[in-house]
Amino acid sequence: MNAPGLQRRLGTVDATVIGLGSMIGAGVFAAFAPAAAAAGSGLLLGLASAAVVAWCNATSSAQLAARYPRSGGTYVYGRERLGPWWGFVAGWGFVIGKTASCAAMALTAAAYLVPPAWQRPVAVLAVVAVAGVNLAGVTRTARLTRILVAVVLLALIAIVAVAVLRGPLQPAGLTAGGTEVYGVLQAAGLLFFAFAGYARVATLGEEVRDPARTIPRAITLALAGTVVVYATVGVVLLLTLGPTRLAASVAPLAEVLPPGATWIAAAGAALASLGALLGLVAGVGRTVLAMARESDLPAPLAAVHPRRSVPHRAEIAVALVVVVLVCTVDLRGVIGFSSFGVLLYYFVANLSAVGQPPAERRYPRGFQVLGMAGCAVLAATLPWQSVAIGMGVVVVGTGYRWVRVRAGRRV
């Protein structure tokens, strides 16, 4: 008998919503303050730069996903086009970085919902609940994501409207310095964290109907929608708070609201974090599945549930690791580290797409070259601590794979 496999159940709307849910997460509530600290009002230039690099990366992901519509995203593309080591580096960086992000999202959601003494238990419950939804099937994941995205967008619309009507607006906030190249690039690297969610669409490649058509459309729609949301929020924050006040703010979207309405920002941030967590766990689980299929991770993790058609062992393993992290470490400051892992992931994606033949090409090769250069520059301008941790993770991962490969040869 053939082993059970994943089922193609997602259409364009569901795939787009999963991408939106992964991108319009806690980043929109948390990433603007460190970006403003790095670049002042130049954070808008950083946002534009991050969006351009993200678009170039998206063309690579869409082009590759149409050719290799399988779970695992860039892990699969790197293996197919560049070799096993390239695929492993991309997959390992994604799994480790995004597992840490899962813990960060769970803790962030809890921080907005309950007092400090209850935050870790509530974060654990959030992880368990999200894992339960994902284990029920990919259509359940898409259905809940629709609800969360709709509520978060309503919250953001309300916050922006109140901020603009409440005023006063400060046009000088859009031009108050902050155009140093290094600061703008560092802001772009931090804001890129917000645009990384479209990878979730590609990692669900085996569960999308008509992937050659659906995945490119879903990635484009999700990224375009997210750019509009982030640009709108960024402009409003600079107009209302100004770059200096924004840089010093712990919760900038709550700060633009009157005291009695700050719950809107808190509820929006909590639900956005849960939506991102839902997509993250699903995406990491599919990448673990793909790596287990190739024995880059333990083979039992490649199992697919015969009735639910989900990688249940991989999902459970990811959830357990996230629960351990939530209980032991506060990872809400991992934006830079996660950005490094994602930039490495997309560097491999762009490198994989550059060599595709004309028959498989949907976008000019120049987009992929620009995407590679953008990823390298943004990674290099991240805070040095983030780069050091990211490089350490890569070294540990390659050492782990080298040991596994050597052990396999001796058997």
Side-chain angles (χ1 to χ4, degrees):
M1 293 179 62
N2 292 329
L6 303 177
Q7 302 296 315
R8 297 194 182 279
R9 294 173 174 169
L10 299 177
T12 300
V13 173
D14 285 332
T16 302
V17 169
I18 288 175
L20 282 170
S22 299
M23 285 187 274
I24 305 177
V28 73
F29 294 87
F32 282 107
S41 61
L43 75 84
L44 293 179
L45 293 175
L47 181 66
S49 301
V52 169
V53 175
W55 166 249
C56 293
N57 296 342
T59 64
S60 296
S61 294
Q63 187 169 283
L64 289 160
R67 173 64 180 84
Y68 306 103
R70 305 201 300 271
S71 287
T74 300
Y75 170 74
V76 172
Y77 315 148
R79 282 187 65 90
E80 292 287 343
R81 302 211 59 85
L82 304 173
W85 279 104
W86 284 99
F88 178 83
V89 167
W92 178 262
F94 180 84
V95 168
I96 299 300
K98 290 305 181 182
T99 299
S101 292
C102 287
M105 292 300 101
L107 288 165
T108 300
Y112 281 102
L113 292 172
V114 295
W118 289 92
Q119 287 176 12
R120 290 191 191 274
V122 169
V124 170
L125 288 176
V127 174
V128 172
V130 162
V133 172
N134 282 332
L135 289 171
V138 72
T139 54
R140 302 290 201 288
T141 301
R143 196 173 303 158
L144 180 57
T145 303
R146 283 192 188 199
I147 297 171
L148 292 174
V149 167
V151 175
V152 170
L153 287 177
L154 287 174
L156 289 173
I157 290 170
I159 292 168
V160 167
V162 170
V164 171
L165 293 174
R166 187 182 179 213
L169 302 183
Q170 309 168 44
L174 300 178
T175 57
T179 56
E180 294 82 0
V181 173
Y182 185 82
V184 169
L185 290 175
Q186 190 170 81
L190 293 168
L191 290 166
F192 186 83
F193 171 82
F195 294 125
Y198 54 84
R200 238 61 77 235
V201 181
T203 58
L204 298 172
E206 285 180 50
E207 294 159 280
V208 173
R209 296 192 299 268
D210 189 10
R213 176 175 174 270
T214 299
I215 293 177
R217 290 183 65 184
I219 288 176
T220 300
L221 289 171
L223 181 58
T226 302
V227 169
V228 170
V229 170
Y230 271 81
T232 302
V233 172
V235 168
V236 169
L237 288 176
L238 286 172
L239 286 174
T240 53
L241 299 180
T244 302
R245 189 174 163 194
L246 173 58
S249 178
V250 176
L253 288 178
E255 199 165 327
V256 301
L257 297 172
T262 55
W263 65 269
I264 299 174
L271 293 175
S273 299
L274 290 174
L277 177 63
L278 189 65
L280 279 169
V281 172
V284 175
R286 269 64 180 182
T287 304
V288 169
L289 165 72
M291 296 180 75
R293 284 172 170 172
E294 302 294 342
S295 298
D296 279 336
L297 289 176
L301 296 176
V304 174
H305 195 278
R307 189 159 57 90
R308 301 291 184 183
S309 299
V310 295
H312 57 294
R313 291 179 183 171
E315 294 265 357
I316 292 171
V318 171
L320 288 174
V321 172
V322 173
V323 165
V324 171
L325 291 175
V326 163
C327 291
T328 56
V329 186
D330 189 339
L331 291 174
R332 278 173 283 182
V334 299
I335 288 179
F337 165 56
S338 182
S339 291
F340 180 87
V342 172
L343 287 164
L344 177 62
Y345 181 85
Y346 284 118
F347 181 89
V348 176
N350 285 309
L351 187 60
S352 301
V354 162
Q356 285 187 272
E360 299 176 9
R361 185 161 295 284
R362 292 166 173 257
Y363 305 95
R365 185 176 276 106
F367 284 175
Q368 284 96 58
V369 174
L370 180 58
M372 273 194 298
C375 287
V377 170
L378 294 186
T381 54
L382 286 170
W384 71 266
Q385 298 93 333
S386 301
V387 176
I389 294 171
M391 291 301 298
V393 167
V394 171
V395 169
V396 170
T398 52
Y400 162 80
R401 188 176 191 275
W402 182 82
V403 171
R404 283 185 65 91
V405 170
R406 293 275 296 181
R409 287 174 180 170
R410 287 198 293 267
V411 172

